[in-house]
Amino acid sequence: MSDTPPPSADSAGSPDFDEMTRDIAEVPAVEVIVTVAVNLMSAAAVKLGLTEEGDKYKDLDEARKLIHALAGLLDGSATEISSFHAAPLRDGLKSLQLAFREASLVPDEPGQGPGEKYTGPIYG
């Protein structure tokens, strides 16, 4: 029989969910919303081929989904986050929508592109 105790939840390989919950509880909702929005923007930029890798990860179908989700998040949280936070996110969204239009072989009609359900037509 061994004197070694069985691995516990506190071992180095497993996350401490109580600590993670406390950390999340201390983060203001605006910060969580902005962080999610920035992650969606970054992922959409990669899928549009706007990174150093260029077309290596380009996937317009995936980009469309990410841009649409970003637009929905910004539309749904518009009254919850201040203009200070919302304005640059809206600018970034518009840039992604324009980049999507430019990258598309057959561009969507104005008002039919990703996220335009929430933002209205984007003209480039």
Side-chain angles (χ1 to χ4, degrees), residues 19-35:
E19 185 176 328
M20 289 170 60
T21 301
R22 279 191 301 275
D23 290 345
I24 290 171
E26 295 170 6
V27 178
V30 170
E31 234 179 279
V32 174
I33 293 167
V34 169
T35 300

Side-chain angles (χ1 to χ4, degrees), residues 70-96:
L70 174 62
L73 174 65
L74 295 181
D75 183 59
S77 63
T79 59
E80 306 301 326
I81 60 177
S82 67
S83 295
F84 176 78
H85 295 291
L89 294 173
R90 282 193 300 268
D91 290 344
L93 170 61
K94 184 175 180 180
S95 295
L96 290 169

Side-chain angles (χ1 to χ4, degrees), residues 6-19:
S8 68
D10 295 332
S11 64
S14 64
D16 182 354
F17 291 109
D18 289 337
E19 185 176 328

Side-chain angles (χ1 to χ4, degrees), residues 13-118:
S14 64
D16 182 354
F17 291 109
D18 289 337
E19 185 176 328
M20 289 170 60
T21 301
R22 279 191 301 275
D23 290 345
I24 290 171
E26 295 170 6
V27 178
V30 170
E31 234 179 279
V32 174
I33 293 167
V34 169
T35 300
V36 169
V38 169
N39 285 332
L40 287 168
M41 290 174 81
S42 298
V46 169
K47 297 298 183 176
L48 285 169
L50 301 177
T51 61
E52 290 178 7
E53 292 87 11
D55 291 346
K56 183 177 178 183
Y57 300 108
K58 189 173 183 176
D59 184 337
L60 294 183
D61 185 51
E62 291 289 302
R64 176 184 294 276
K65 293 171 188 172
L66 292 162
I67 294 168
H68 191 76
L70 174 62
L73 174 65
L74 295 181
D75 183 59
S77 63
T79 59
E80 306 301 326
I81 60 177
S82 67
S83 295
F84 176 78
H85 295 291
L89 294 173
R90 282 193 300 268
D91 290 344
L93 170 61
K94 184 175 180 180
S95 295
L96 290 169
Q97 289 171 311
L98 289 170
F100 183 90
R101 185 172 299 283
E102 290 175 17
S104 298
L105 295 176
V106 180
D108 297 315
E109 292 293 320
Q112 302 301 310
E116 291 182 32
K117 168 183 173 182
Y118 301 107

